[in-house]
């Protein structure tokens, strides 16, 4: 049985059809649960052709990781022209065949694909860039910790994708399968990001105090 993306894009090269088939199967069944023959059957090619193009299943997974990163880079500029997205994964949601990409990402985050670290790093780097642009354009408030803020936002969203089954169970929102999910998920997210959570700065003061204690302890250790 061929994947939806393969049937919808008959003009794709054999290599691209194999990659799309692997994305779909890895996302549904996981890396360990997917065999090369199944990928070949999904793509409508021979197993030998899969080996010819990618060498091994590991090579195919690496190609999938690189493809997801490429899609995010290519959609970044379009997202930037519309204003900084509150959701780093909006870079994927606006892409063609977004659902297979998101399902693949969710599964690889849980399974621990070797390429996930590089992908997360690229997401953080992009988030730093577009959040800086957002500050310059007046969309976002400046931060004393711009890099850490970008990390926090990315990890928040990636964690939601990795735990998407629980998000769906608790909120009725399918983050990886429903294009309209961003509206229902985004409303409370934007509320938190726009209005904040705490009514005063007691928690900030507590964190600042802990930071001062840590600095004092470091000085004492270095003096000793």
């Amino acid at each position: 049985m061929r994947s939806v993306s393969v049937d919808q894009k008959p003009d794709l090269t054999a290599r691209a059809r194999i990659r799309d088939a692997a994305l779909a199967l890895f996302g549904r069944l996981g890396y360990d649960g997917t065999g090369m023959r199944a990928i070949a059957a999904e793509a409508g090619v021979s197993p030998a052709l899969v080996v010819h193009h990618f060498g091994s299943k590991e090579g195919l997974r690496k190609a999938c990781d690189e493809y997801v990163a490429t899609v995010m880079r290519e959609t970044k500029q379009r997202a930037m022209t519309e204003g900084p997205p509150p959701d780093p994964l909006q870079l994927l949601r606006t892409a063609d065949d977004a659902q297979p990409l998101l399902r693949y990402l969710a599964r690889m985050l849980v399974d621990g694909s070797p390429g996930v670290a590089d992908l997360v790093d690229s997401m953080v780097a992009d988030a730093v860039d577009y959040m800086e642009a957002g500050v310059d354009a007046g969309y976002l408030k400046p931060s004393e910790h711009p890099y850490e803020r970008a990390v926090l936002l990315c990890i928040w969203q990636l964690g939601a994708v990795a735990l998407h089954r629980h998000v769906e169970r608790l909120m009725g929102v399918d983050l990886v399968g429903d294009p309209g999910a961003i509206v229902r998920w985004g409303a409370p997210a934007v509320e938190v990001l726009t209005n904040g959570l705490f009514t005063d700065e007691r928690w900030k003061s507590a964190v600042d105090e802990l930071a001062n204690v840590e600095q004092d302890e470091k000085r004492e250790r270095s003096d000793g």
Side-chain angles (χ1 to χ4, degrees):
M1 176 181 174
R2 295 186 180 185
S3 67
V4 172
S5 62
V6 170
D7 288 339
Q8 289 178 340
K9 296 184 177 181
D11 58 330
L12 285 179
T13 65
R15 181 181 176 87
R17 293 203 312 272
I18 295 167
R19 180 206 62 219
D20 283 0
L23 277 165
L25 289 177
F26 287 157
R28 291 203 306 265
L29 306 175
Y31 178 78
D32 292 336
T34 303
M36 293 284 273
R37 290 186 178 277
I39 294 170
E42 183 86 351
V45 302
S46 68
L49 191 59
V50 178
V51 174
H52 170 75
H53 281 295
F54 298 96
S56 64
K57 190 167 75 166
E58 183 58 36
L60 186 49
R61 173 163 67 175
K62 182 178 180 182
C64 290
D65 287 344
E66 291 172 351
Y67 177 67
V68 174
T70 298
V71 169
M72 294 187 68
R73 285 194 298 270
E74 289 178 349
T75 55
K76 171 188 170 184
Q77 191 60 44
R78 180 173 61 186
M80 284 298 300
T81 61
E82 298 171 355
D87 176 359
L89 293 178
Q90 187 69 13
L91 296 174
L92 277 183
R93 295 183 198 281
T94 57
D96 294 334
D97 294 332
Q99 293 179 27
L101 295 179
L102 286 167
R103 288 191 182 279
Y104 174 82
L105 178 59
R107 193 68 184 239
M108 292 303 104
L109 284 167
V110 174
D111 289 354
S113 171
V116 163
D118 290 339
L119 183 58
V120 172
D121 289 351
S122 69
M123 288 181 64
V124 170
D126 282 347
V128 171
D129 288 345
Y130 66 63
M131 293 182 80
E132 180 180 354
V135 171
D136 293 340
Y139 289 109
L140 301 177
K141 295 179 180 179
S143 172
E144 296 178 6
H145 315 283
Y147 172 76
E148 290 79 3
R149 180 168 71 169
V151 170
L152 184 66
L153 186 59
C154 286
I155 295 300
W156 175 16
Q157 296 297 334
L158 287 171
V161 169
L163 296 172
H164 67 95
R165 296 186 187 280
H166 294 285
V167 175
E168 184 174 7
R169 179 177 60 83
L170 294 168
M171 295 180 62
V173 173
D174 183 0
L175 290 177
V176 302
D178 179 6
I182 187 60
V183 176
R184 298 189 299 279
W185 170 262
V190 170
E191 178 184 303
V192 171
L193 293 171
T194 302
N195 299 328
L197 185 63
F198 300 116
T199 58
D200 56 42
E201 294 196 351
R202 275 177 290 181
W203 286 103
K204 182 180 184 302
S205 299
V207 171
D208 290 343
E209 184 176 344
L210 288 174
N212 291 333
V213 170
E214 183 180 6
Q215 290 177 359
D216 290 342
E217 292 176 347
K218 285 182 178 180
R219 281 195 294 268
E220 290 176 3
R221 287 195 295 269
S222 62
D223 293 342

